[in-house]
Amino acid sequence: IVYRSSNNGNNWENVLNMIKQANSFAISGNNIFVGGDGDSIKSNIFLSTNNGLNWTLKAIPNVRGDLRLKIYGNTLYAVVNQWGIYSSINNGSSWSPVWVVDMQLHNLVISGPNMLVIGEQLYLSTNNGATWDTIKTGGLPPNIQGFLSLEVNGGNVYMGVYPQGLYKSTNNGYNWSNI
C-alpha cells in the first residue's frame, strides 16, 4: 500500500493498494516508480506520472519476486531477488536483462559505468553490467546477519549492515571502514 500527503504529512490518502508492500521508490522528474512484493505471476512495478493520483503496472515479463528500483541517468533498474538485474530506458514499457542470476540480490548502486550489487556476496561491474566480479572485501565484520542498505555519494559507497551499523568504502567496495 502506498500513501500520499499533499500537506506536509498532516493528512494521508491511500493512492496505491494493488500491492501489499512497497519495497522501493524511484523518482525521476514527474515519474514516480514503486516496486513492491511480487506475486506468483509478475513483478510489481507501478508508474505514476501525476504525483500518485493514477498508477500503471510496468511489470517485467516472466519475472516475479521482491525487487528494488534505482534510476541512473535515463535508465530505470530493477534488482529482482532470485532473478537478476533488469533495465528500462522507456519508463518500464520494455525491459532488458543486465545480469540474469538465480541468487539473493538485495540492492544496487551505480556510479558511471560502475555497478555494485549486494547479493550472497558483493559483486562489481565496471562496464555497465556486461561482466561481474566477486569482490573480496576487507574491513567488513565476518558475522553480518543482514544487508540493510547500499547508497553512493560522489566517490563513496555506504552500506548499512545488521547488527554492526554503517560502513564506508572509497574504492568501489574493495575495502570498508566502520563509521
Side-chain angles (χ1 to χ4, degrees):
I1 297 176
V2 175
Y3 291 89
R4 177 183 83 129
S5 173
S6 58
N7 58 7
N8 297 318
N10 290 321
N11 298 49
W12 293 88
E13 64 179 313
N14 179 348
V15 294
L16 179 62
N17 59 9
M18 293 178 272
I19 56 175
K20 292 181 229 168
Q21 178 177 330
N23 297 332
S24 182
F25 290 87
I27 299 172
S28 177
N30 292 329
N31 295 334
I32 303 171
F33 297 91
V34 174
D37 54 334
D39 57 32
S40 61
I41 301 170
K42 65 187 175 312
S43 58
N44 282 329
I45 301 170
F46 291 89
L47 166 64
S48 174
T49 58
N50 58 4
N51 293 317
L53 295 176
N54 302 98
W55 296 89
T56 304
L57 180 63
K58 297 292 184 175
I60 304 169
N62 304 313
V63 173
R64 60 193 172 278
D66 294 338
L67 56 91
R68 301 293 183 265
L69 300 173
K70 292 286 181 175
I71 293 176
Y72 187 78
N74 294 324
T75 305
L76 173 66
Y77 292 91
V79 179
V80 187
N81 195 19
Q82 301 300 132
W83 288 87
I85 302 170
Y86 295 82
S87 67
S88 174
I89 58 172
N90 55 12
N91 293 324
S93 293
S94 62
W95 293 89
S96 300
V98 174
W99 188 33
V100 178
V101 60
D102 181 14
M103 74 169 74
Q104 291 274 352
L105 295 178
H106 302 287
N107 211 333
L108 168 74
V109 292
I110 305 164
S111 179
N114 296 332
M115 303 174 88
L116 182 67
V117 66
I118 299 175
E120 295 163 357
Q121 300 180 55
L122 285 174
Y123 301 92
L124 174 67
S125 171
T126 58
N127 53 15
N128 295 308
T131 59
W132 293 85
D133 293 317
T134 302
I135 296 178
K136 303 213 181 315
T137 60
L140 288 177
N143 55 349
I144 293 173
Q145 295 177 23
F147 294 102
L148 302 176
S149 62
L150 187 66
E151 294 297 331
V152 66
N153 185 6
N156 300 321
V157 180
Y158 298 90
M159 179 170 40
V161 297
Y162 178 80
Q164 292 85 357
L166 184 62
Y167 285 77
K168 174 182 171 181
S169 173
T170 58
N171 60 0
N172 289 325
Y174 285 98
N175 297 97
W176 296 87
S177 59
N178 187 270
I179 57 173

